[in-house]
Amino acid sequence: MDAMQLKPNWKLCGWLAGIGIIVYLLIQIVPTTADSFFDSGSENIIAKSTAEQTAAAFVQKQYSSNPVSVHAVHQSDSMLYGYLEKNKLARSYEKKYDPTLPTDTFQVTAKLPDESVVFVYIHMQKGTVVAWNRLEEQHLMPATGNELKDSAMAFAVSQGFSKSDLKTSRINEDTGEIWYEKSPTDVGKAKLVLGIRSEKLGSGSFRIAAYKPRFVVPADYSDYVAKQKRIANYLSTIGSLFLSFVLFILAIIYASLYRKHTSFVRGIVVSFIFLAMYLINDWNMTDGLAAGYGETANADVLAIAAVIVSCLITIVMALAVYFSLVGGDGLWRGMGRNLWPRFGQAGYGDHVWKSMWLGYLTAFMLLGLQTIIFIILMRVNGSWSTTDVTQSTYNLAAPWLFPLLAWCAAISEEAVFRLFGIGLMKRWFKNPFVASLIPTVIWALGHVTYPIFPSTTRLLELTVIGLIFSFMFLRYGFITVLFAHAIFDSTMMAISLMLMGTASNVLMGIFYIVLPIPIAWLIRAWDRRKRTAPHSGSGPQHSPNSYT
C-alpha cells in the first residue's frame, strides 16, 4: 500500500455516512430533544449555584444554622433509573413521580459550624428540596417510642402521603429513625420506602433531621445488577487491564528491537498532547468522583486523592502511548508497510487532509451502525442502560472541556490497540483478521464496566466497531483511523454538551464537531509551507523522510 495515496470509494462512503448519521440523529438524538422542544411546559436545568443557595436557605431554616460551605454535585439513583429503563417505565414514572421523587437531583453538601454535614437534595428543574440527611450530629436527642411514630407520621402526612397507605417496616429508636413502606405501586415491583429521622429539641418540639423517600427495586433485579457488575469488573481487570499492561511491556521491548526502522523521537509530541489533555480531564472529573462516594462527609478529600491516583495512572498511560507509537511504527516498517506517514514526506499534508474527511465519513457511518447494534441487542438480549454520576456532564468543573476526552481516547486506543496491537499480532500470527480480532477484544473488554447491561453488551458492540476501525487502519493508515475515532467520540460528547442547554454549550459543541477540519487544514498548510520554503546556508539539507 502506498501510504500517501488514499483511494476509497468516496461515493459509497458518502452514502453510508449519510445513512449512518441520519439513523443516529433520528433514533438517538431526536427522541431525546423532542419532548422538551414541543412541550411548552418543559423546564430547564437550574444552575448549581441556584441549588446551593436553595440548600443553604433550607439548612438555615431547618437547623437554625448558617452553613460554612455548600457544594452541589449531580446525584442519581442509578439502580432505580436502570430498573425503569429495563421495564419501559421511565416515561410514566416521570409524569407521576418526578416532581417529588426524581431519579436525578443536585446533592448539595452543606458543612455546618458544629462540623456536622447536611446533604440536601434539590430537584434539578423545579429547584425544590425533595430530601435531606444530616450526619455527624452531636448532643442531640433522638425521638423514641410514640413520639417518634407520631412525629414521623405527621410529617409523612404533611408531604402528601395517606396514613392508611403507609406500613411501618423498621424502627431504630437508638437513632430516632423509622421506615415506612407503600406497596403495591404502579412502578413495577418496586416499593416506595420513606426513611424519616426525628429529633427531640430542648423546647419539647420535634425536628425532622432526615427525610429520604425512594423507590427500592426488587431484590432479583438488584442481585442481577450486582452479579453483572462483578462479571464486568472481572472481565475488565483480567481481560483488559492486565492484557493492556502486557501490551505496554511488549511495546517497550519491540520499540527497542525495531529501533532501526523507526525513531524514539517519533510520538513524543503526540504523547505529550495526550498527557496534557488527559490530566485536564482528571481534574475536570473531580465532582463526578465526589458524587460517586454518595453521602460521605469527606467525599471532597477522597475525590482529590482519587484524582491524584488518576494522574499517576495517566502518566503510565502516556508512556504506554509513546512506546506503542514507536514500537508499532517500527513493527509495520519492519514488515514493509508505512501505516503512519511522517511529516515531511511528499504529499503528507494532502494525506492528512484526505484522512480527516475519510475519518468523518467513517465516524458518521459507525454512529448509525452502533445505533442499529444497540437496537438489535435490546431486542435479542434485552439490553438497557442506566446512569453513572462519575461520567455526568453536570459533574464536570468545565463541561466545555469534556470533548477533549474524545481525542485522548482516540490517541491512546489507536496507538496501543491498532498501531501496535495489530502490528504485533500480525507479526506473530500473519493472518490480518486474527491480528485485528485479538487487540479489538482486549480494547472492547476495557469498556464493559460502563452502565449498560448485560455487561457483555459493550463487548459485543465494540468488537464489531473495533473490527471496522481495524479494517480502516489496515487499508488507509493510522491517521485516518485516529481522525475517525476522535470524530466518532467527540460527536457524541459534543451533543451531550449541547443538550445541557445554554448558547455557550451549543457553540462549543459545534466547535468540537468541526475541530478536525482546522486541525487538518493547519497541518496541510504547514506541510506545504515547509515544502515551498527556500533553503538557506551551505550545510547539508534534511531528507524529506527526516523524523519530527
Side-chain angles (χ1 to χ4, degrees):
M1 182 192 79
D2 184 350
M4 306 308 294
Q5 297 295 322
L6 289 184
K7 295 180 179 179
N9 186 329
W10 290 102
K11 185 175 181 179
L12 176 62
C13 290
W15 275 106
L16 291 175
I19 294 171
I21 196 65
I22 290 172
V23 168
Y24 172 70
L25 292 175
L26 289 180
I27 296 178
Q28 296 216 49
I29 305 304
V30 172
T32 304
T33 59
D35 288 343
S36 58
F37 183 81
F38 292 107
D39 184 3
S40 58
S42 62
E43 299 172 285
N44 295 324
I45 302 295
I46 64 173
K48 279 187 176 181
S49 58
T50 302
E52 291 168 348
Q53 292 169 8
T54 301
F58 171 81
V59 169
Q60 201 285 326
K61 180 180 178 181
Q62 187 75 3
Y63 300 100
S64 302
S65 178
N66 288 316
V68 175
S69 65
V70 289
H71 185 69
V73 297
H74 170 215
Q75 192 55 268
S76 180
D77 188 340
S78 178
M79 190 68 73
L80 175 60
Y81 189 96
Y83 179 77
L84 296 175
E85 285 291 318
K86 183 179 187 298
N87 294 281
K88 308 297 187 292
L89 295 168
R91 185 176 293 273
S92 61
Y93 182 92
E94 182 179 1
K95 289 181 179 179
K96 184 172 182 179
Y97 293 104
D98 182 76
T100 55
L101 297 166
T103 57
D104 291 76
T105 58
F106 281 125
Q107 173 190 296
V108 182
T109 303
K111 297 184 177 181
L112 302 186
D114 64 356
E115 297 185 351
S116 65
V117 179
V118 182
F119 294 97
V120 185
Y121 296 86
I122 308 296
H123 197 288
M124 295 181 71
Q125 286 89 17
K126 298 183 180 300
T128 54
V129 176
V130 295
W132 62 91
N133 188 25
R134 187 177 184 180
L135 301 181
E136 300 184 3
E137 302 165 276
Q138 298 177 1
H139 312 300
L140 294 173
M141 182 182 298
T144 59
N146 288 332
E147 292 179 334
L148 169 58
K149 296 177 183 178
D150 293 343
S151 60
M153 181 57 74
F155 178 76
V157 171
S158 73
Q159 297 302 300
F161 295 98
S162 173
K163 184 176 181 179
S164 60
D165 290 339
L166 300 178
K167 176 184 176 181
T168 303
S169 61
R170 187 157 56 100
I171 297 178
N172 186 338
E173 295 201 3
D174 291 337
T175 59
E177 293 176 279
I178 187 169
W179 288 265
Y180 298 111
E181 282 188 7
K182 182 181 182 294
S183 62
T185 68
D186 53 357
V187 186
K189 296 180 180 179
K191 295 180 179 179
L192 176 57
V193 176
L194 305 183
I196 301 174
R197 186 168 80 250
S198 180
E199 300 171 343
K200 187 173 184 179
L201 304 179
S203 62
S205 60
F206 297 91
R207 175 170 63 195
I208 303 303
Y211 173 57
K212 296 292 292 293
R214 66 189 184 98
F215 277 92
V216 178
V217 301
D220 58 347
Y221 175 80
S222 58
D223 291 344
Y224 176 81
V225 170
K227 180 181 178 180
Q228 289 296 312
K229 287 183 176 180
R230 288 194 297 271
I231 293 173
N233 288 332
Y234 176 80
L235 291 174
S236 178
T237 301
I238 304 299
S240 179
L241 292 179
F242 173 71
L243 292 180
S244 294
F245 180 74
V246 171
L247 284 177
F248 174 31
I249 300 301
L250 289 171
I252 297 175
I253 294 172
Y254 276 87
S256 177
L257 292 176
Y258 284 81
R259 60 186 180 276
K260 69 178 182 179
H261 296 287
T262 183
S263 167
F264 282 97
V265 177
R266 292 214 81 186
I268 290 179
V269 174
V270 175
S271 300
F272 269 109
I273 291 174
F274 164 81
L275 178 62
M277 289 192 297
Y278 215 106
L279 289 175
I280 291 173
N281 175 71
D282 290 336
W283 161 79
N284 207 19
M285 295 183 67
T286 305
D287 274 0
L289 295 171
Y293 289 111
E295 290 188 353
T296 304
N298 60 340
D300 53 346
V301 177
L302 294 174
I304 292 174
V307 168
I308 293 173
V309 173
S310 295
C311 290
L312 295 176
I313 294 174
T314 297
I315 294 173
V316 176
M317 290 172 62
L319 289 172
V321 169
Y322 168 69
F323 282 105
S324 294
L325 289 170
V326 176
D329 183 53
L331 274 166
W332 285 109
R333 290 179 184 275
M335 291 184 284
R337 296 194 65 183
N338 176 17
L339 291 178
W340 183 20
R342 299 165 178 168
F343 182 81
Q345 283 185 246
Y348 177 82
D350 290 330
H351 172 77
V352 171
W353 182 250
K354 291 179 180 178
S355 294
M356 177 270 297
W357 288 115
L358 185 55
Y360 267 106
L361 298 179
T362 304
F364 289 171
M365 177 194 68
L366 290 179
L367 287 170
L369 177 61
Q370 182 190 58
T371 302
I372 294 171
I373 293 173
F374 278 143
I375 291 174
I376 293 173
L377 291 175
M378 287 174 62
R379 301 288 185 184
V380 175
N381 209 25
S383 300
W384 76 96
S385 63
T386 187
T387 54
D388 183 354
V389 292
T390 64
Q391 300 176 24
S392 169
T393 52
Y394 293 103
N395 279 331
L396 298 175
W400 59 274
L401 292 173
F402 176 50
L404 288 179
L405 184 59
W407 289 90
C408 296
I411 292 171
S412 61
E413 294 171 7
E414 296 309 318
V416 174
F417 300 107
R418 244 69 75 181
L419 183 65
F420 177 72
I422 296 179
L424 179 65
M425 296 300 127
K426 185 70 165 60
R427 189 72 183 179
W428 288 359
F429 300 109
K430 309 303 179 183
N431 185 282
F433 179 76
V434 174
S436 299
L437 181 62
I438 295 174
T440 292
V441 171
I442 297 174
W443 171 66
L445 286 170
H447 297 76
V448 295
T449 56
Y450 280 57
I452 300 178
F453 301 97
S455 56
T456 53
T457 299
R458 294 231 72 188
L459 173 61
L460 297 172
E461 168 236 336
L462 287 180
T463 297
V464 176
I465 299 294
L467 287 174
I468 295 176
F469 274 139
S470 300
F471 170 80
M472 297 300 294
F473 165 71
L474 291 171
R475 180 64 65 89
Y476 302 111
F478 177 68
I479 297 176
T480 295
V481 78
L482 178 64
F483 272 115
H485 195 152
I487 295 165
F488 180 76
D489 284 355
S490 62
T491 299
M492 292 185 286
M493 293 178 181
I495 290 176
S496 295
L497 179 63
M498 294 164 72
L499 291 176
M500 291 181 69
T502 76
S504 60
N505 285 335
V506 172
L507 290 174
M508 287 306 300
I510 295 172
F511 167 78
Y512 280 110
I513 291 174
V514 302
L515 179 60
I517 298 175
I519 289 176
W521 183 87
L522 287 172
I523 292 175
R524 184 178 66 168
W526 186 22
D527 176 69
R528 288 179 175 178
R529 183 177 180 182
K530 285 280 187 179
R531 191 156 302 283
T532 57
H535 295 291
S536 60
S538 57
Q541 304 300 320
H542 291 288
S543 165
N545 292 324
S546 61
Y547 299 105
T548 59

